[in-house]
Amino acid sequence: MQTWVKAKRVGFSLSEKKRRKLQFQLFADLCRARGIEVIQIDLTKSIEDQGPFDVIIHKLSDLMLEAEQKDAQSQQLIQKFQDYVEAHPQTILLDPLPAMRRLSDRFQSYKLIQELQTLDQDDQFCNPPYLELATGNQSDIVHLIKEQKLTFPLICKARVAQGSSAHDMALIFNEDGLRDVSLPCVLQSFINHNAVLYKVFVVGPSYFVVERPSLKNFTVGQSDRKTIFFNSHEVSKPESCSHLTERDEGASVSRGPSDRTIKLISRGLQASLGMSLFGVDVIVDNATGKLAVIDINAFPGYEGVPEFFGALLNHIETLLRERERNPDRRSPVAKMPGPHCWCLGAQEARAPSPASNRASSLARETWTVEEPPAGKRTSDSGRFREFAIPPPTLCQSNCE
């Protein structure tokens, strides 16, 4: 059993809903059994008086969104949190606020996926063609769709990936349906994937893959169907029985994503973002067999991953040992390896693993850590800043 000469303290700031969903008390009990104290942080009080903390676990995404929407109290709480973290550079933060801000913007998430594609020398994954819209009438939108070569049906998602409406989406089948678009949003070509979604849950150097229901196949191209409005969270619940997830009779079940490709995506995202806790939604194109990344989420629910707490505690202990070995360093952050580190053998790429209905640990590898530049802490760089939506932007894709 792991014990520490000096008791370590883990602080957490999670909403009551998040704590209940995760059954976070079980994690606190597991930590205490290994000599680690777990303390709930009250952001309305002095954080300094509640510390010190060796590690802070949080999900402040909703509070950050409220702050970006000019809520004064939320702005003060976020600023207080940032002030504390910047004043205590030895505290390990899971996860950096700037990275979480980036993932709260779907357009920025898709740009990140596109950047990672440059490391995918075997062309194993992609992001479906997408288009960000902030303004524009129907004729302008039609022009942009044709220019970007998006295909119907289209998935319409809110650009902001946090908040009560983040999971509300629309499946648009024709140009008339574009009247149903609510701006700002992201349009994305729908890819048939035989109603199977793979949720990749990352916990530090480990990741787990869980199979979930997803939208059924639809005919490619415009049709006279009415726009379908749905909640992606409801559709992809483990027990979902929606008519939208009915698989075509005789449709083959694609083999699950290969370990190699999932490893490439999860390692690349962690290295780019410096994050430990995030999820990636992927599907397999039933026409090409290529993996498509359709969403990235900060600190997801980890439903179907019974190993989550154990993996999280192991990761925290690894970070604490790293800090013990290098006491003069600031908090460890992920290092982005060069492109050559990502070029795995073609034989491995052609050996996909079978899909599973249960969570499975597909890889446990250690990322290299490096010290941030002197005077700047990667996890906290950049003070609170407002959410700015740029004009419509076009992005290319290789999902073909």
Side-chain angles (χ1 to χ4, degrees):
M1 178 182 297
Q2 175 68 53
T3 59
W4 302 92
V5 175
K6 180 181 178 182
K8 301 301 179 182
R9 303 180 83 238
V10 173
F12 69 92
S13 182
L14 303 170
S15 68
E16 182 179 354
K17 179 180 178 181
K18 186 74 173 179
R19 294 197 304 272
R20 288 200 312 267
K21 184 175 182 179
L22 288 173
Q23 295 183 295
F24 201 75
Q25 184 58 44
L26 297 177
F27 176 69
D29 295 341
L30 182 62
C31 287
R32 292 189 182 100
R34 295 205 202 175
I36 299 176
E37 185 181 5
V38 178
I39 303 99
Q40 181 175 349
I41 299 173
D42 186 344
L43 294 181
T44 65
K45 300 178 181 179
S46 168
I47 304 178
E48 194 73 44
D49 293 343
Q50 300 171 69
F53 300 108
D54 297 282
V55 179
I56 292 179
I57 302 170
H58 73 92
K59 185 169 185 181
L60 300 177
S61 305
D62 289 343
L63 191 64
M64 291 163 62
L65 176 60
E66 293 171 1
E68 289 163 352
Q69 294 173 342
K70 309 294 186 179
D71 181 83
Q73 182 179 13
S74 298
Q75 288 180 339
Q76 292 174 0
L77 295 177
I78 289 294
Q79 193 63 65
K80 179 194 291 188
F81 184 83
Q82 289 190 157
D83 289 343
Y84 178 84
V85 173
E86 289 178 4
H88 298 80
Q90 292 295 325
T91 299
I92 298 168
L93 185 63
L94 303 180
D95 273 319
L97 296 188
M100 297 187 77
R101 285 193 184 100
R102 185 170 188 183
L103 292 190
S104 70
D105 180 347
R106 282 195 171 99
F107 184 68
Q108 292 299 322
S109 295
Y110 296 159
K111 287 178 64 178
L112 176 58
I113 298 166
Q114 193 169 18
E115 292 167 7
L116 289 180
Q117 288 178 220
T118 62
L119 305 177
D120 180 20
Q121 298 183 13
D122 293 326
D123 195 26
Q124 293 298 303
F125 75 92
C126 67
N127 56 333
Y130 65 98
L131 171 66
E132 182 272 334
L133 296 173
T135 60
N137 55 37
Q138 184 181 4
S139 60
D140 292 335
I141 296 173
V142 170
H143 173 74
L144 291 171
I145 288 172
K146 292 180 178 178
E147 184 178 8
Q148 183 59 14
K149 298 181 181 179
L150 271 68
T151 56
F152 287 96
L154 298 170
I155 290 281
C156 179
K157 308 176 184 181
R159 174 165 178 171
V160 179
Q162 298 295 331
S164 57
S165 62
H167 295 287
D168 293 334
M169 302 181 184
L171 192 60
I172 300 171
F173 295 91
N174 49 60
E175 293 181 5
D176 287 341
L178 293 172
R179 296 190 180 94
D180 299 317
V181 166
S182 296
L183 302 176
C185 70
V186 177
L187 294 180
Q188 193 175 50
S189 293
F190 178 77
I191 292 178
N192 284 326
H193 52 283
N194 292 335
V196 178
L197 171 71
Y198 298 97
K199 298 190 77 71
V200 181
F201 295 108
V202 178
V203 189
S206 303
Y207 60 84
F208 308 85
V209 176
V210 177
E211 182 181 323
R212 293 278 181 82
S214 186
L215 293 176
K216 64 183 181 180
N217 296 338
F218 294 94
T219 303
V220 178
Q222 292 201 56
S223 69
D224 58 1
R225 282 179 175 265
K226 298 294 184 182
T227 298
I228 296 175
F229 298 93
F230 66 98
N231 182 290
S232 62
H233 180 72
E234 295 296 326
V235 165
S236 293
K237 279 185 175 180
E239 68 279 8
S240 176
C241 295
S242 169
H243 69 282
L244 292 176
T245 63
E246 295 174 353
R247 189 172 296 156
D248 294 340
E249 185 176 351
S252 60
V253 179
S254 60
R255 289 193 292 179
S258 71
D259 290 0
R260 174 206 175 277
T261 307
I262 293 298
K263 185 186 301 182
L264 174 66
I265 295 169
S266 59
R267 288 175 62 182
L269 288 173
Q270 188 177 48
S272 297
L273 294 166
M275 295 181 68
S276 295
L277 304 173
F278 62 92
V280 188
D281 291 349
V282 300
I283 57 177
V284 178
D285 187 336
N286 66 359
T288 66
K290 184 179 293 186
L291 201 68
V293 182
I294 58 174
D295 258 323
I296 312 173
N297 307 289
F299 203 158
Y302 291 94
E303 292 177 282
V305 185
E307 305 96 331
F308 171 54
F309 287 149
L312 176 57
L313 181 51
N314 289 338
H315 179 52
I316 287 173
E317 289 183 332
T318 297
L319 294 176
L320 290 172
R321 285 192 292 269
E322 173 67 23
R323 196 184 65 176
E324 294 272 331
R325 289 193 296 267
N326 300 281
D328 296 330
R329 282 192 176 191
R330 295 185 174 211
S331 298
V333 295
K335 177 181 179 182
M336 185 64 173
H340 295 295
C341 299
W342 302 93
C343 186
L344 302 182
Q347 183 175 359
E348 182 181 357
R350 289 193 297 268
S353 60
S356 172
N357 287 319
R358 61 181 180 83
S360 58
S361 177
L362 299 182
R364 287 180 170 82
E365 296 198 4
T366 303
W367 279 268
T368 306
V369 297
E370 67 174 3
E371 185 176 2
K376 185 175 182 180
R377 189 170 184 270
T378 298
S379 60
D380 312 311
S381 58
R383 306 285 286 176
F384 170 79
R385 57 181 181 275
E386 297 178 1
F387 189 91
I389 297 178
T393 309
L394 300 175
C395 286
Q396 299 296 324
S397 171
N398 69 341
C399 273
E400 295 178 358

